[in-house]
Amino acid sequence: MKEFEEKISKLGIFFICYTLIFLIFFKTLPYTIPFVLASLFALILRRPTRYLIKNFKIKDWFASLITTILFLSTVIIFIIISVGALANQLINLTKNVQHYLTDNSSYIMDKFTEVQDYFYNLNIDPSIINSVKDTATGSLSKIVNYSVSIGSGVVSLAISIVSYIPYIIMVIIFTLLATFLFTKKFAASNTKSLLSSFPIENNSLLGIIGKIRHKFFTYALSYMFLIFVTFLITFIGFYSFRINYALILSVLCAILDLLPVLGMPMVYIPLAGYNLLTGNYLVGIGLLILYAIVFITRQILEPKIMSTSLGLNPIAVLAAIFIGISVNGVGGMIFCMFLVVFYTVLKDEKVL
């Protein structure tokens, strides 16, 4: 009984501490983001920097400067090109959707009338038919409003980004400086020397930090792989169906894949509906089947890859994903996933 009480007490303390650290980390992230990014970048650049120091016999500060500038320049250029292309294509897409719905509203209503006549011939209650008609008309107006809001939202986002340029520049500068300093420190030191200042047994702390770091990067890479699978299947399907803006729509689906349940349908359902309304039934039905394939593939791969790569129980992973999404979407999923990861690591190290 006493051991059970001690275990419950440890679990309670662990959950409270983890929750506090999680909340503090994300609440303070706007103020600490340059140093968080710098730490992650420095860990990535540690080996390339050591390679330059060892093979080219150059000073550690110069090697750190080279890897930092090359890495951050590549990241910044990639982000600028990607965001610019995405915003431009998204604005053009929403404009075309608005123009099409406006110019072909009578054609679309004729289609609705044909469907209405079909239901009349089936001797269905007229009140039900009128209700369906009102719902369809309301849905059409909502689609127009959503497309307008998306386009204006992109413009507003671009304007807000411009207003944040001084802050963004400051973040970039501090991230650059901190990455250089952290990379120089990490490349010149081993993990044990970095932990020597902590009043905790280094072997134990080294094991915990090493496992957490490994699982963190494994989790990030695994999730990036899942998103890439979503992008690849979507792009192949869209390209095969000759969908306009196949590449940009596939990228958008991959990004929206971060939003559980409601993410990808925001692209798939309007596209399928558009093709069905215009009489392109093969493409419309094909897109619905393609979405079902992507959805089922994700549901099969996600628990399997996460459990295999992180060394966690598949049921625990599945429960963490479901509970987290149900409680608070993506944020809840991240909270529950890392809760399981930290608990597993601490349990393996006999801390819990």
Side-chain angles (χ1 to χ4, degrees):
M1 186 65 181
K2 187 175 181 181
E3 292 181 359
F4 178 75
E5 290 178 354
E6 288 180 356
K7 189 171 183 179
I8 294 297
S9 177
K10 285 184 178 180
L11 288 175
I13 293 171
F14 160 71
F15 182 77
I16 293 171
C17 292
Y18 169 79
T19 303
L20 289 174
I21 292 171
F22 185 88
L23 292 174
I24 291 171
F25 175 80
F26 282 100
K27 290 294 183 182
T28 59
L29 195 58
Y31 313 105
T32 60
I33 191 168
F35 308 102
V36 173
L37 291 176
S39 300
L40 295 175
F41 294 159
L43 288 173
I44 295 172
L45 297 175
R46 186 180 183 184
R47 288 187 179 180
T49 304
R50 283 186 169 182
Y51 178 84
L52 291 178
I53 295 172
K54 182 179 179 180
N55 291 275
F56 293 93
K57 309 299 181 183
I58 57 180
K59 299 288 185 179
D60 56 355
W61 68 267
F62 189 54
S64 302
L65 184 63
I66 292 173
T67 54
T68 299
I69 291 176
L70 287 177
F71 178 76
L72 288 182
S73 299
T74 304
V75 170
I76 292 170
I77 291 172
F78 176 78
I79 290 174
I80 291 174
I81 293 174
S82 300
V83 171
L86 180 63
N88 181 55
Q89 292 289 318
L90 192 57
I91 290 172
N92 289 335
L93 178 61
T94 52
K95 283 182 179 178
N96 289 336
V97 170
Q98 294 166 32
H99 289 318
Y100 178 84
L101 292 176
T102 302
D103 298 340
N104 298 275
S105 58
S106 58
Y107 172 78
I108 295 172
M109 291 309 300
D110 289 340
K111 287 292 182 181
F112 283 138
T113 303
E114 290 179 12
V115 174
Q116 181 181 358
D117 293 339
Y118 173 77
F119 281 115
Y120 271 128
N121 294 331
L122 295 178
N123 296 320
I124 297 177
D125 188 346
S127 62
I128 297 177
I129 296 175
N130 291 330
S131 177
V132 172
K133 183 179 179 180
D134 293 339
T135 303
T137 305
S139 299
L140 179 62
S141 63
K142 284 182 179 179
I143 291 173
V144 175
N145 292 333
Y146 283 146
S147 62
V148 172
S149 64
I150 291 173
S152 60
V154 172
V155 175
S156 300
L157 179 62
I159 295 173
S160 64
I161 290 175
V162 171
S163 66
Y164 276 99
I165 283 179
Y167 173 76
I168 294 172
I169 293 175
M170 184 178 67
V171 169
I172 292 173
I173 292 173
F174 275 87
T175 302
L176 177 65
L177 293 174
T179 302
F180 166 70
L181 295 174
F182 287 167
T183 303
K184 180 174 176 292
K185 180 67 176 178
F186 290 175
S189 308
N190 55 41
T191 307
K192 288 186 177 180
S193 64
L194 289 173
L195 297 174
S196 60
S197 58
F198 289 90
I200 305 175
E201 186 180 351
N202 280 342
N203 290 334
S204 176
L205 184 62
L206 181 62
I208 294 172
I209 291 179
K211 286 187 177 182
I212 291 175
R213 184 179 64 182
H214 172 72
K215 289 184 182 295
F216 173 79
F217 280 107
T218 303
Y219 177 82
L221 290 174
S222 299
Y223 214 83
M224 287 174 63
F225 173 75
L226 290 172
I227 292 175
F228 176 73
V229 169
T230 298
F231 164 77
L232 188 62
I233 296 176
T234 301
F235 178 70
I236 292 173
F238 283 4
Y239 186 79
S240 301
F241 289 127
R242 301 186 183 278
I243 300 295
N244 293 329
Y245 306 103
L247 179 60
I248 197 67
L249 289 175
S250 302
V251 172
L252 186 60
C253 279
I255 295 172
L256 290 174
D257 192 30
L258 296 171
L259 299 175
V261 182
L262 297 176
M264 287 188 294
M266 294 172 64
V267 176
Y268 273 93
I269 300 303
L271 278 176
Y274 164 76
N275 283 280
L276 290 173
L277 287 173
T278 54
N280 200 352
Y281 300 112
L282 178 63
V283 175
I285 295 172
L287 287 172
L288 294 176
I289 295 173
L290 179 65
Y291 172 68
I293 292 173
V294 175
F295 180 79
I296 293 171
T297 303
R298 282 276 306 183
Q299 300 309 308
I300 294 173
L301 286 181
E302 187 163 357
K304 186 175 180 61
I305 290 177
M306 291 300 181
S307 61
T308 302
S309 59
L310 295 177
L312 303 175
N313 188 305
I315 297 177
V317 174
L318 196 61
I321 293 172
F322 178 78
I323 294 172
I325 289 174
S326 301
V327 173
N328 195 32
V330 176
M333 184 186 72
I334 294 173
F335 175 85
C336 290
M337 281 299 302
F338 280 104
L339 177 66
V340 174
V341 169
F342 276 83
Y343 172 78
T344 304
V345 171
L346 295 177
K347 187 178 179 181
D348 291 342
E349 293 296 319
K350 310 297 183 184
V351 177
L352 293 176

